[in-house]
Amino acid sequence: MAQAAASGDSGGNRRFVYVVASVAALGGLLFGYDTGVISGALLFIKDDFQLNPFLEGFIVSSLLLGAVIGAGVSGALSDRLGRRTIILVSAIIFAVGAIGAGLAPNVTTLIFFRILLGLGVGSASALVPSYISESAPTDVRGSLSTLFQLAITIGILLAYLVNAAFATVGDWRWPVGLAVIPALILFVGMYFLPDTPRWLVSKGREEEARRVLRRTRSEEEAERELNDIRRVEEEEEEQAGYRELLAPWVRPMLVVGIGLAVFQQFVGINTVIYYAPTIIKSTGLEDVASVLATVGIGVVNVLMTVVAILIIDRVGRKPLLLVGLAGMVISLGILGGAFAFSSLSGIISWVTLIGLMLYIASFAVSFGPLLWVMLPEIFPLNARGSGTGLSALSNWVANFIVAQAFLPLVGLIGRSAVFWILAGICIIAALFVYFMVPETRGRSLEQIEADLRGDREATATT
Ligand code: BGC
């Protein structure tokens, strides 16, 4: 089946799945843009409003708090009301949040709208991966799901560039408010897209599911996929949402989901994404050079995600994760070393830069996309929204902890020690991946679910 599907002559309009995935991935663009825009904008917000260090930090972290709530609520809601409906609601939240934050007359209003934006970002992280994964044919599911991470990285890069463009006039309102544009496109695009065939079957709406599948698969493929979905659906308990997650056969996957989500943050990615200019400047590079270097990091992040898209369905999820983690251990080791010998200044800024680039490249080709690709894959149909949501929630809590702890920790034990601790966490993450995480490449969502139950003949598409 994979062969026929990959050849593209499998009937239906194969290109439509790319449209579906790309529109939904706009949720990722907003995720990246809204999280990335604040570091640059903050410089000028400080001029407009009187900010103490607490308020400054809270403007950044208020979005993360909103995201924790958004991820927690939206996943379970989407099991009941559909992925598409809740993504539409998030698009409205994104639009209102962008305009509100852009026009905010005072700090309290700004923080209120940053929390609202966070609700959108959290929901997008919990829903878009499931929406894409459930819509995708097996053989390209990895690549299509990686579009979400690609959009996140493009969003971060756009934020860096827009900030740089408006920095000359010292404006933060336009960079913050401009996010309304992708929000509106997401709303209009999603309005015209269907819900996922898998969610439709789970609600007994088989005729609609068949129609959706027939748009991108041949009649025979659509019927086979429908049968598989129906079969796993019949085996599942009636209940959807958080209760399903506690079923004994689902619990180990909850550990895998939450483990992957927490490790994706504890390896330290956002110390680089949020503090890159600070880290680079501390090596002695000039202001302009460090802004350029930050944009360079954004570009490498995007490019290496494209590499992930090209190889993810060929090399397998686990090997890619392990190779990426190895690269991160090496680069964090280099970064720690560079700061330990910072008295040798000249060369050190270059060594730091190379370390940062290698680190970003290793993350972008592995853990960045793979978390969002694998979360929906490892949870069964009825608990996919809540399982992905709870894992995404853990990801945001971990993100919050790292963002808060980084600068104080650097003050306490020094940069080198912090980077070496992060390298140690990458090693533990690699052990977790090696021993606990199942390989999901090349298997349909239904096969993965049947394997989880230990019921190997439950599906036909082998
Ligand atoms: C992570 C974000 C991170 C981004 C960087 C995402 O997968 O969840 O926390 O900022 O990748 O590209």
Side-chain angles (χ1 to χ4, degrees), residues 174-198:
W174 275 101
V176 168
L178 275 176
V180 70
I181 298 175
L184 292 178
I185 303 177
L186 174 65
F187 183 85
V188 174
M190 280 307 295
Y191 185 80
F192 290 103
L193 293 183
D195 217 313
T196 73
R198 287 168 173 81

Side-chain angles (χ1 to χ4, degrees), residues 31 149 152-153 156 264-265 269-270 273 301 363 368 372 395 399:
F31 169 157
Q149 175 71 11
I152 295 177
T153 59
I156 294 174
Q264 198 223 26
Q265 292 300 319
I269 179 61
N270 288 315
I273 297 289
N301 198 10
F363 177 87
W372 306 113
N395 185 262
N399 187 337

Side-chain angles (χ1 to χ4, degrees), residues 367-428:
F367 228 144
L370 278 163
L371 171 71
W372 306 113
V373 169
M374 293 192 76
L375 283 183
E377 293 182 336
I378 59 176
F379 291 108
L381 180 53
N382 273 341
R384 186 162 294 131
S386 47
T388 308
L390 201 60
S391 309
L393 177 151
S394 324
N395 185 262
W396 289 107
V397 172
N399 187 337
F400 183 77
I401 294 173
V402 175
Q404 298 301 307
F406 179 62
L407 290 182
L409 256 182
V410 166
L412 214 62
I413 57 175
R415 260 173 225 283
S416 298
V418 171
F419 284 125
W420 284 331
I421 290 176
L422 292 175
I425 295 178
C426 288
I427 294 175
I428 303 174

